[in-house]
Amino acid sequence: METNKILSSLCYFSIFFAGFIFPIVVYFVTNNPETKRHAKSAFLSHLFPFIGIVFIIMGLILDIGIFTSGSGIPFFFILSFVVYGILVAIVIIWNVIKGIKVLMN
């Protein structure tokens, strides 16, 4: 198996062990344009969960009155965690599928 395929696949699988650091390192170290493309794609997909934190902050802001008064259910805060969880699950599944596809080609 080619080293470039393994590196490209590991960029996607790094969501489990190295986050967005591994794709950055691979992007700057490798000279192969295909591996660079996969490293860039993996890096961007690893950033989506960080962008999803905006949902949690918005839910916290929208429910600040409920938190301060102590009455009611913080609906938007709970909804934001559900949306964030779905986003993270989609990103993980997408990275695993892309990593397997790279190895199979």
Side-chain angles (χ1 to χ4, degrees):
M1 190 169 286
E2 295 178 31
T3 306
N4 291 328
K5 281 187 178 182
I6 293 173
L7 272 178
S8 297
S9 180
L10 281 175
C11 285
Y12 292 110
F13 291 139
S14 70
I15 198 164
F16 294 115
F17 62 87
F20 54 87
I21 295 171
F22 187 76
I24 290 174
V25 171
V26 170
Y27 183 81
F28 288 114
V29 170
T30 189
N31 293 327
N32 185 341
E34 188 68 19
T35 305
K36 279 188 180 264
R37 185 179 65 82
H38 286 294
K40 182 180 170 184
S41 177
F43 172 72
L44 292 175
S45 71
H46 290 14
L47 287 182
F48 281 131
F50 290 110
I51 295 169
I53 293 175
V54 172
F55 289 115
I56 294 174
I57 293 171
M58 286 175 47
L60 180 64
I61 290 170
L62 290 172
D63 285 337
I64 197 76
I66 294 173
F67 286 125
T68 57
S69 67
S71 62
I73 298 173
F75 175 74
F76 292 112
F77 191 64
I78 294 170
L79 181 67
S80 65
F81 269 105
V82 170
V83 168
Y84 182 73
I86 292 170
L87 177 70
V88 168
I90 289 170
V91 167
I92 289 173
I93 291 169
W94 186 82
N95 278 298
V96 170
I97 290 171
K98 290 293 284 188
I100 292 171
K101 280 184 179 181
V102 168
L103 284 176
M104 299 306 242
N105 288 334

